[in-house]
Amino acid sequence: MPANNVQQLGDTGGPQAWFQSLPLVTRYWFGSALLVTCAANFGFFSPMKLIFLWDSIWDDFEVWRFVTPFMFVGKFDFNTLFALYMLCSFSQRYETEPYNTGAGGGTADYIFALMFGMSAIFVTYPIMGKFMPILPLFARTLTFFVIYVWSKRHPTAPASIWGVEMKAIHLPFAYLVLTVLMGNPYADLLHGIAVGHLFYFLVDVVPIVYGKDVLHTPQFLIDRLGVGAYVPPSEVPGARGGASQGSNVWRPPGRANAPQDPARPARGHDWGSGGQRLGSN
């Protein structure tokens, strides 16, 4: 093998550099899921303190249960490791180019999609529970929400499962069939696919068929994260008094127009990849 094709661990900066290279939301979600899953398995706290229990939230004000069900993946086994890999991989893929719901297909749009998915999972969980047994843990559910939406956003993108090549549009159902054949629980996968289809229908089908944009990224997310992929403010040496943030000088985040999917240029101006970003000069 030629020497220039051999890449050592030190050449990439190691695991820390890889982790820091992940997109913002994926980095925090994957990091928190890994930390919470390991902590629960090592006995730092009981997994029962992490699951979604409305009575505990209402009576005991255990509000962390709104978040921790999306972080605890499960007990240590192959399925948990595989779920963590899928969470990191597909969150990263979709975060780099999500549906444009008002922030130019950027970080704010991805956060809004996750907010929609989490809210819809909470609302539909009692309904799903009437038809099939489903645990009040939603990390895999939200992961499959992301996988399904990604497959709809990029239907012809190349994908594979255990070496079998296929288009992205078929990937969620291939995973579902494989899970059923292996005898593993699949209700949470179906739940994620159902919520993902609801998001896809509202963000992609309704604007085309009915001419209405019903989902919009909240303005406070756009104001905070800007249009397009979020770039943290960088410190400019020697700069003084920039934007009332000390020596941090950057352009304020841009404001988005009504959401138009950049994948459909015939419906409007394609500004999804050219929006103003924080940190640009």
Side-chain angles (χ1 to χ4, degrees), residues 58-73:
W58 182 259
D59 297 334
D60 303 325
F61 201 63
E62 296 180 354
V63 293
W64 63 83
R65 293 181 185 270
F66 281 122
V67 179
T68 53
F70 300 98
M71 297 179 179
F72 180 65
V73 181

Side-chain angles (χ1 to χ4, degrees), residues 122-174:
F122 283 135
V123 171
T124 56
Y125 169 68
I127 301 175
M128 294 292 295
K130 291 182 179 180
F131 297 97
M132 60 185 68
I134 183 171
L135 294 174
L137 290 171
F138 307 133
R140 291 210 312 167
T141 306
L142 190 61
T143 299
F144 262 79
F145 163 81
V146 172
I147 292 174
Y148 184 85
V149 175
W150 171 79
S151 73
K152 288 293 189 178
R153 181 72 176 91
H154 307 281
T156 60
S160 66
I161 178 172
W162 302 121
V164 179
E165 300 292 331
M166 65 187 69
K167 293 182 179 180
I169 193 66
H170 303 132
L171 190 65
F173 303 102

